[in-house]
Amino acid sequence: MSKKKTPPWVLLVCTGAGNNIQGGADMWVNNFLKEVWPTLPNRVRFRLLIDSKRPANFKPTSLPAGLRYHFHYDDPSITEKWGSESTWVHFLHPHYHMRPHIWDFEDKFGICFVHAYPKDMLQVKVELPELNERVQLGTKVDEKFYTEFLLTCKRRIWIGLNKSTLLSDFPNYTYYLPNYYEFQGPAALTTNVDSGIVAFAARAESRKCLHWMNGIDKGYALTSQWDVRNMRDVTRFQLPTVDIYQWEPGIKHAFFSKSWGIFHGAYFKEPFGYSIFEAVDYGKLPIINKDWAPDIDYKYRVSTKNEFDKCIKQIKKDSHQTRMEERNKLIEFMKKFDNKKEWIDQVRSQILSFF
C-alpha cells in the first residue's frame, strides 16, 4: 500500500490582519481568513506571515482559532524557515516596495491579490496639481519594483470593481475578481442631508482627497490624526471646520450614526470603495469621483475641489425625492457585489488551482 502524500506547506503573506484594520485591504484579508481559509482542505498546512511589526494592541483572538501566524519582526528566522518549507507563496496583500526576506522565495510566488496598482495611485500627482506633488500615499510605493514583483508572480488577481491599467499592462494570467460587500440594510436616506454637513471615513492619503473638505461649512472625518497633522504641516489645507476623529474600528458605527447626511467618497482611482458602500448602507448620500463606476448615471460626481464645493450646494438645493432617486441608482449597482458565497467560491478555486 502506497503512503499517503503529505500536502505541501503554503505561505500566505499580508501586511496586516486581525483587530488592527488600517484600510480596505486589511478588511479583505480578514474576510479571507474568516470565510475562505476554513473551507480549504488541509488548512493546517497554510501559514500566515504578517509582514510587519506586531502592534502593541494586537489581539490574538481577532484571528481564526487554529491559524498559524507569525509577525516577521518577532523573529525573522521564522520567516526564513516558513518560506523555505513552503511550496507556494501567495500574497493576500503585499507591500508596494522591496522586502528582501520575501524576495528570497521569488521562485515560489503564486497568486498576488492586487488591491491598488501603483501606476494608478501615482497618477494623483498629475490629477491633483493643487498638492504641488506633496503627495501622501500611506505607505512606501516603488512603482518599478512592484512591476517586477508582479511579473514574478504566476497569477495576478484584481479585487477592485473599477477597471485598472493593471489588466492591460498584464493581459496574461491576470484575473478580475472584485471584492464583496454584505448589506445590512440599506437604511432609508437620512433627512440630515439638509444640514449640509459632510463626513469622510478613510485613510488620509492624497488620492482620497480629504483636502477638498477645506473651507466647507461643517464636516467630520474618521481617519488618522497623524496623517491629518502631516497634511497640515506640508500643505495649505488646514481643515478648520472639520472635526477629526481618530480611526478606530470600534467607533465606526457611532461615527456613521451621527447626524450628518453627505458622504465624501470622491476618491481618485479608488479600486473598490468599501467606505462608499458603508455610507450608502447607513442611509447617507455619497459624492463620488467621476472615475468611480463611471457607467452609472449618477448626478453627484466630481473630479476637482471646485466641483466638490458646487456639488455640496447642489445637493442642498435638490429635493429629497431627487436625492433618493440618485442614491437608488447606486444601490442597484452596489447590490451586484452583495455576493459573499460566490466570492468565497471564486477565491477558494484560485487557491486550490495550485494543488
Side-chain angles (χ1 to χ4, degrees), residues 252-296:
K252 183 176 70 175
H253 174 72
F255 181 84
F256 274 97
S257 300
K258 285 177 69 67
S259 298
W260 54 270
I262 303 173
F263 182 73
H264 172 13
Y267 319 139
F268 173 72
K269 293 293 184 182
E270 178 63 20
F272 186 75
Y274 202 90
S275 62
I276 304 173
F277 280 76
E278 286 185 314
V280 169
D281 208 2
Y282 273 91
K284 312 300 184 179
L285 183 67
I287 298 174
I288 60 176
N289 201 293
K290 290 179 179 178
D291 69 9
W292 193 79
D295 294 336
I296 309 171

Side-chain angles (χ1 to χ4, degrees), residues 48 78 119-120 124 173 185 189 216 221 233 268 302 305 328:
L48 180 70
I78 294 178
K119 186 175 180 179
D120 295 337
V124 71
Y173 303 105
L189 177 61
I216 65 171
D233 288 344
F268 173 72
V302 302
K305 162 65 173 168
N328 285 341

